[in-house]
Structure formats: structure tokens, C-alpha cells
Amino acid sequence: MTFSSLSDEVRAFRAAHPDVRYVDLICLDIPGHFYGKRYPIDMLEKVAAGSLLKLPQNCVLLGAQGGLHEIGDYCFNDGDPDATRRLIPGTLKPVRWEQQPLGQMLISSDGTDSPIEFEPREVLARVLSRLAAKGIHPVVAFELEFYLFDRALKDGLPQYPRDPLCGDEDDQPNLHIERLSRFSPVLHEIVEVANEQGIDANVITAEIGPGQFEINFGHCEDGLQAADWAALFTRLTRGVALKHGHRASFMSKPYLDAPGSGMHVHVSLYDRQGNNLLAPDDGGPLRHAVAGCLDWLPHCMPIFAPHRNAYRRYGSRVNAASRASWGYEDRDACVRIPDSDDRNLRIEHRLAGADANPYLVLAAILSAMEHGLEQRAEPIAPLNENRQSGIDFPMDMLGAVAQMRHHPAVNAGLGEEFVMVYCENKRQDHLAFMEHINAREYRWFL
């Protein structure tokens, strides 16, 4: 449902949910955690009518373990100024996983008079605006893998979930559809709650890891909304899982001996008339876009693998490449081309971990495709022709940060200020993690 104004949206919500007294106003920081404020709903109506909504600017810069790192003049040398946020229309929804009636709504600095240049949603908004000015309109669909764990950790580490019906551990990795029946109460409610939040969540798959599942989203013509869906989905999945006695995590590699979880992003590009821009000239533009993705991939690893743990996922035995590669209908490739007609021709970018920031992942993919189309370069051989084809990418955080920091195209595509801030955030995160590494650190990812 669309409303003529934010005030109408808030008033309609209050009429439909008279028992809700508070609304969480939330946005995503650089590591992909939500922060924000819990607002009384009568105050929210004032914000919707035009009252200023301000939060500390530096909340965006929080590290993966919750603390702040010194980044240039930010954090400890700028006085932690407030920055204006706006309400995102259409995102005010009820929350059913909390113990009390509650609502939630996305907020962002993008679209304000002074957007925060390094806020993830603003980074994506700038990329989409640049593409729109060139007559390029992406259609995007996310797929997110995640694990269900037992509610209780052991020595700070996750344990296999227990079958709600018989209490057995789900410790046998397989793709058997019977696992969907065993965990149907929590999985079906995750999809139902996602739909209530306006997210077009649909297909559920039992993945190969113990307690691992995947849920797909429909193709979305609004890139910001597609990333909003992915971000909100992580929050609701954790909440619904706890309600059912489980713990959910999008951690890239929670177990040493089980597959990791990926964020797969399907992207098509269309012109203003609705023509698929990747299809002409026997798929020439598709190959150019692939070449751009492969060129950028080594330099965007801090975005695709934002934590030290994420690098453990690459090179495993199951559909997680250790080199930048591409192929037709090939799940070992980082960039896969699904079989489709010209109208639906698209790439599936499969490298990012499920705990990556969806706004930044999409911004990097779109900018890389844009770069490839403009350079008109041809990619390396697909895996279908040469199983050894591929381009090395850094397998450690510090090496990846060094590559990202000094790549001129990445700096231009994502913004020099953002790249500087992001690289320093990731570098400090890594050093802090290595200094204090122990099992308790992993709780931030669960």
C-alpha cells in the first residue's frame, strides 16, 4: 500500500495497530548491524509531519564487535556530531517476534540535505542515481543462506539445532527436503513475517550444511528496496528464530567442517524502454559486465568478505571459489550466468558472504558492471571452457584492504571518502579481532 504522505502512513499504521506504543527507527552500520532509537508512536507522527530526526553521525562507523575505531578525523576528533536522518516511506511495519507489540521503520541519511557520505545506503543511492542518469535501471534479487543453531551456545560457539518434533540434532548435512518439514514452524513464520514487512520472500531450500537453509526474494525494480529487503530479512530471521527456541546466524563460516553461507545477488540491467541491456550483440554487453565484475572483484574483497571469518569460506569443497571466475550455469563460479531468455538475461554474483552489507555489495556489483560496459573488455575464459580459469584475489583482510584502497576505479565508483573510511574501519576491525580473538568474539556474528 502506498500513501500520499508519511503522516498518512503513520496514521494508518496507528489505526491498524492501536496496541503498538513504540516503533524502532533503524538503519545499518558499516559492519551490517542495525542501530537506531525506539520512538513513542506519537513522537513518530511529529517526525513524519516534519520534525527533525537526528542521530550521532559516527554510529555508522561502529566496528564489528561494537566499538569505535579512530578513522582520520572521525570518531574521536570530530565531537561526534548529530546528522539528520529521514523516514523511509513504506517501511513502517508491525513486529511480531518481540514480547510486546512493536513496530519498526527504516531511516537513512540519503535524501537529506546533508547525507553521510560513508553511510552504506547513501553509497548505494549515489551509484543508482549515477546509473539512472545514464539510462540504466537495475532489477535485483537477493538470495540469503543462513544457519539455525541451538539457542544455547557451548563455550561461546554455536551448536546444531534440535528437531522441534523429536529433539534430535540436525547434524547430518544434506539437501533433503524432509528437513524443511522438520523445521517448518520456524521457516514458514520467517517467510510470513518477511511478507508482512513487505519483503517478497518466497522459495525455501534446505542447504547442504547442518541446520542450513536458504530463502529467495523476488526480483525488485528498486535497487534500494532490494537491499532494504536483504537487510531487514537478517533482523527478522534472528528474531523469529529466537521465538521458536533457535538462534539464527548469517555468519559466513560458523563451523570448521561445514559449508559457509553466501549472499547471491541476481542483477539485470534495462534501459528506459524496458529492453535488457545485457542481451544485444549476442550477449556482448553481458560479457563486458562480467569482465568488469572480475576486474573489480579482487579489490572489493573487504566488502564481499567483511570479517576475518569470511575468508575461511573460500576454497571449500562446496560452491565457494578461491579465484575470481565466471561460467554459464556453473555454481563454482563467482559470477554465474543462469540459463534464461534474452528478456531475463542476468548475472548472479555469488562471492559475498551472507554477513556482508547488502547495500555495499550491490553498490560494488553495479559499479563493476558499469565499469565493464564502459571499458567494453572481454572476460577471461569461462569455467565451462577451462576449469582452471580464474583471477587471484586476496585471501586475507589486510591484503584486501590494501588493494581496495589503491584502486582508482573503485575509488571513483564508490566514492573516495567512503573507500578511505571503509578500509580503515575494516583494518582496525581486523587488528582488534586478532588481538582479542576467542570464542566469545563470534557472538557478534550470531
Side-chain angles (χ1 to χ4, degrees):
M1 182 181 297
T2 58
F3 299 93
S4 59
S5 69
L6 283 167
S7 294
D8 288 343
E9 183 174 352
V10 175
R11 283 193 288 268
F13 180 87
R14 296 189 72 172
H17 307 281
D19 53 341
V20 172
R21 296 173 54 207
Y22 293 93
V23 174
D24 285 351
L25 303 182
I26 54 175
C27 47
L28 219 57
D29 64 12
I30 281 178
H33 297 146
F34 279 106
Y35 69 93
K37 293 187 177 183
R38 183 163 291 183
Y39 256 62
I41 197 161
D42 56 340
M43 291 183 64
L44 178 63
E45 194 159 348
K46 295 177 182 178
V47 173
S51 295
L52 282 180
L53 172 65
K54 290 190 173 184
L55 276 76
Q57 172 182 275
N58 293 340
C59 288
V60 183
L61 301 171
L62 290 170
Q65 287 126 40
L68 280 172
H69 305 305
E70 188 167 353
I71 302 174
D73 292 330
Y74 298 113
C75 299
F76 300 106
N77 300 304
D78 63 355
D80 193 17
D82 278 344
T84 304
R85 309 300 205 276
R86 69 179 179 94
L87 305 175
I88 305 300
T91 64
L92 177 56
K93 304 291 182 181
V95 167
R96 78 154 76 167
W97 59 85
E98 294 277 355
Q99 294 183 350
Q100 68 183 63
L102 192 68
Q104 71 176 18
M105 191 172 197
L106 284 174
I107 58 175
S108 177
S109 75
D110 79 81
T112 66
D113 291 338
S114 300
I116 303 170
E117 192 169 356
F118 44 80
E119 183 189 4
R121 199 176 193 274
E122 164 64 11
V123 173
L124 176 57
R126 288 202 310 269
V127 171
L128 289 168
S129 178
R130 186 174 70 237
L131 292 177
K134 297 177 179 180
I136 301 174
H137 302 278
V139 173
V140 180
F142 281 83
E143 301 171 351
L144 285 174
E145 295 174 329
F146 61 94
Y147 274 88
L148 294 178
F149 304 132
D150 189 71
R151 180 191 291 266
L153 304 178
K154 184 177 181 180
D155 299 325
L157 296 175
Q159 304 299 303
Y160 296 134
R162 295 190 175 275
D163 185 327
L165 298 178
C166 63
D168 293 343
E169 288 185 335
D170 185 37
D171 58 356
Q172 299 179 7
N174 56 59
L175 296 165
H176 295 168
I177 198 166
E178 287 79 5
R179 292 175 56 226
L180 298 183
S181 297
R182 293 168 63 191
F183 290 90
S184 62
V186 59
L187 295 172
H188 289 178
E189 184 164 5
I190 287 172
V191 172
E192 290 170 1
V193 171
N195 294 159
E196 288 176 359
Q197 294 291 321
I199 301 168
D200 184 15
N202 43 59
V203 178
I204 309 172
T205 305
E207 286 294 332
I208 199 167
Q212 188 187 30
F213 303 92
E214 179 184 88
I215 293 180
N216 300 350
F217 307 153
H219 291 258
C220 183
E221 297 183 2
D222 182 334
L224 282 172
Q225 185 178 61
D228 289 341
W229 287 357
L232 289 170
F233 183 79
T234 63
R235 186 172 197 244
L236 71 89
T237 298
R238 292 185 178 98
V240 173
L242 282 174
K243 177 181 173 182
H244 284 263
H246 304 293
R247 190 186 290 254
S249 175
F250 294 83
M251 191 177 185
S252 288
K253 185 75 171 174
Y255 296 120
L256 289 174
D257 57 349
S261 291
M263 174 187 291
H264 305 152
V265 189
H266 293 250
V267 181
S268 304
L269 301 179
Y270 296 88
D271 64 16
R272 293 186 178 93
Q273 290 72 44
N275 301 306
N276 192 319
L277 292 172
L278 303 178
D281 303 325
D282 196 27
L286 173 70
R287 297 193 302 275
H288 301 329
V290 168
C293 287
L294 296 181
D295 180 40
W296 275 44
L297 191 149
H299 312 285
C300 290
M301 286 305 295
I303 289 176
F304 300 139
H307 312 294
R308 177 179 180 271
N309 169 270
Y311 289 89
R312 295 171 51 235
R313 171 173 166 259
Y314 300 120
S316 71
R317 69 184 189 277
V318 182
N319 302 145
S322 57
R323 304 184 78 205
S325 57
W326 75 290
Y328 296 93
E329 279 296 323
D330 194 318
R331 285 186 169 82
D332 289 330
C334 297
V335 180
R336 172 177 175 258
I337 310 303
D339 185 35
S340 65
D341 57 26
D342 285 352
R343 169 65 186 164
N344 297 295
L345 193 62
R346 64 191 184 277
I347 72 161
E348 179 191 1
H349 202 288
R350 296 175 54 84
L351 189 76
D355 53 4
N357 189 307
Y359 299 107
L360 301 181
V361 168
L362 183 54
I365 293 171
L366 291 174
S367 296
M369 295 176 72
E370 175 191 23
H371 175 78
L373 290 171
E374 292 178 349
Q375 296 297 314
R376 299 180 64 83
E378 289 293 328
I380 58 176
L383 292 180
N384 313 88
E385 297 177 3
N386 178 3
R387 298 308 296 177
Q388 306 306 313
S389 182
I391 302 169
D392 290 332
F393 57 75
M395 297 297 285
D396 66 282
M397 178 58 75
L398 295 183
V401 163
Q403 283 210 29
M404 183 179 182
R405 191 192 300 270
H406 298 114
H407 193 281
V410 172
N411 276 260
L414 300 178
E416 292 186 11
E417 181 77 2
F418 162 73
V419 171
M420 183 278 290
V421 167
Y422 188 80
C423 285
E424 187 59 21
N425 180 279
K426 294 295 103 181
R427 189 181 77 85
Q428 297 278 10
D429 254 356
H430 177 80
L431 295 176
F433 188 89
M434 295 303 294
E435 182 178 354
H436 303 292
I437 187 168
N438 56 56
R440 289 184 299 115
E441 298 295 319
Y442 285 84
R443 294 184 184 181
W444 284 99
F445 302 98
L446 301 179

